[in-house]
Amino acid sequence: MDAIEVLKTRRSVRAYTAEPVPRKIIEDIVDCGRLAATGINIQPWEFVVVTAPEMRRKIAQTAEYGKFIAQAPVCVVVLCRDTEHYLEDGSAATENILLAARAHGLGSCWVAGDKKRYAPDICRLVEAPRGYKLVSLVPIGYPAETPEPPKRPLAEVLHWEKY
Ligand SMILES: Cc1cc2nc3c(=O)[nH]c(=O)nc-3n(C[C@H](O)[C@H](O)[C@H](O)COP(=O)(O)O)c2cc1C
C-alpha cells in the first residue's frame, strides 16, 4: 500500500481478531510515532505498549468510550510531558501510529485521553511519572470489521484562496 492509499483508507476499527501482533511490527509502529513532527523538536512523548490482558481490561474499564481496548491484543498509551505544544505533538505522534498500523494491515482507533476525567487514572495505571499527560490510547489488532463512516466531500471543505 502506498502512503496516499494508507492515508485515504484508514478508518477507526473497534473490533479485532485474537491474532497476536508480532513484536517487530509493534516496534515499527511506535517508531513511526517517535518520528512525528514536534514543535521545536522537543519530542515530549513516551509510548507505553500494553499487551497484558488484565491491564488492558483495567484501561478499558477506565476509558469511557474505549471498552474495545480489552479485545485488542495491543494498546499503545501515548503520554507527553506537559510542554507548550504537548497536545499537538502527541496528536501528531498518535496519527502516525494510526497510519503505520494501517500500513501494516492492522486496525486501530484513537481513543480520547487528553482532558478526559479518567486521564489521571490511566496515567497512574501505567505508572507514568508526575507531570505527564495522557494524549491518547491506541488499541491495535487485526481488523474484524471494515467500517465506512460518512466523510464530508472534498468540494464542501476545500476553499481556494478565500473561505
Ligand atoms: C481526538 C479524538 C478522540 C477520539 N476518541 C474516541 C473515543 O474515545 N472512542 C472511540 O471509539 N473513538 C474515538 N475517536 C475516533 C473517532 O470517533 C473517529 O475518528 C471518527 O468517528 C471518524 O472515523 P474514522 O476514524 O473511521 O475516519 C477519537 C478520535 C479523535 C481524533
Side-chain angles (χ1 to χ4, degrees), residues 43-62:
Q43 306 172 62
W45 40 58
E46 304 290 335
F47 307 96
V48 181
V49 175
V50 179
T51 58
E54 188 48 34
M55 183 63 122
R56 281 189 288 102
R57 263 194 297 275
K58 281 185 189 163
I59 292 173
Q61 279 164 9
T62 309

Side-chain angles (χ1 to χ4, degrees):
M1 223 188 287
D2 74 13
I4 298 296
E5 195 183 347
V6 168
L7 286 159
K8 290 194 171 182
T9 60
R10 180 220 54 81
R11 295 292 177 274
S12 293
V13 171
R14 299 178 179 87
Y16 315 92
T17 71
E19 189 181 341
V21 183
R23 201 181 173 92
K24 279 276 162 228
I25 292 182
I26 300 172
E27 283 176 358
D28 193 53
I29 289 170
V30 172
D31 204 29
C32 291
R34 174 183 73 87
L35 295 167
T38 161
I40 55 166
N41 200 24
I42 200 163
Q43 306 172 62
W45 40 58
E46 304 290 335
F47 307 96
V48 181
V49 175
V50 179
T51 58
E54 188 48 34
M55 183 63 122
R56 281 189 288 102
R57 263 194 297 275
K58 281 185 189 163
I59 292 173
Q61 279 164 9
T62 309
E64 223 168 340
Y65 298 107
K67 301 302 169 210
F68 46 92
I69 289 171
Q71 198 208 346
V74 177
C75 178
V76 181
V77 181
V78 180
L79 303 166
C80 276
R81 249 187 313 117
D82 191 3
T83 56
E84 187 181 355
H85 297 297
Y86 81 89
L87 187 52
E88 292 92 331
D89 293 346
S91 295
T94 301
E95 186 69 12
N96 272 14
I97 288 170
L98 300 179
L99 293 169
R102 172 71 185 147
H104 278 289
L106 289 153
S108 66
C109 182
W110 182 325
V111 174
D114 184 64
K115 296 179 189 73
K116 284 286 177 192
R117 183 184 37 77
Y118 56 75
D121 299 330
I122 304 274
C123 287
R124 265 192 297 277
L125 269 177
V126 300
E127 300 183 14
R130 276 176 70 89
Y132 276 77
K133 303 270 213 178
L134 175 70
V135 173
S136 63
L137 298 160
V138 187
I140 297 173
Y142 290 95
E145 64 171 12
T146 312
E148 286 180 27
K151 295 285 176 186
R152 293 173 63 197
L154 182 64
E156 186 182 304
V157 298
L158 172 62
H159 312 272
W160 290 99
E161 319 304 347
K162 283 186 179 176
Y163 190 97

